[in-house]
Amino acid sequence: MTYARKAGALETRQGRRQHDFVRASLMRQLFPEVAELRIEIEFDDGSAWVPSPQSFSYFPAARGFFRFACPCHACNGEFDLTSSVSTLARARSVKPRSTRLEVTCEGQRARENESVGCAMRARVSISAIARSPDDDDEG
Ligand SMILES: [Zn+2]
């Protein structure tokens, strides 16, 4: 080997996600017109075990990072909502706006000696509240 990889933490998906999170731009840079963005996720994989719903709020000082690990422990998948969030947040409207979508995990769940496709479904609700002109705190 003439070329050693030094990025140990990046070898895992979680490590990469953490790496990308740190590099993500702030909400106020990505979506200057958004005062608050909310994401709510409900999970369902058809089994009796249903992960708890998750919800997230993003304010202008938060990092605009919209990839979420699949809640199934053994799964390496993630739900990437980046493009859905961008579409919604960039829509020109002063009213509150929201969208719903359903995403299926494309990860693999590790079993004893094999891995099987993950069927976790995420029902996602994204809503954005636009800044009103009165909120201008910059000057
Ligand atoms: Zn999964």
Side-chain angles (χ1 to χ4, degrees), residues 100-104 121-124:
R100 285 176 180 276
L101 63 150
E102 190 166 311
V103 198
T104 302
R121 286 194 306 276
R123 278 194 293 274
V124 182

Side-chain angles (χ1 to χ4, degrees), residues 70 75 105 118:
C70 177
C75 178
C105 179
C118 178

Side-chain angles (χ1 to χ4, degrees), residues 62-109:
R63 292 195 186 280
F65 186 73
F66 311 106
R67 280 157 48 200
F68 305 95
C70 177
C72 181
H73 305 296
C75 178
N76 64 5
E78 66 179 15
F79 298 97
D80 185 350
L81 305 177
T82 307
S83 64
S84 301
V85 167
S86 299
T87 302
L88 180 80
R90 295 215 165 101
R92 292 273 165 180
S93 164
V94 294
K95 294 177 187 158
R97 50 205 189 232
S98 63
T99 188
R100 285 176 180 276
L101 63 150
E102 190 166 311
V103 198
T104 302
C105 179
E106 293 176 354
Q108 297 282 316
R109 291 186 193 181

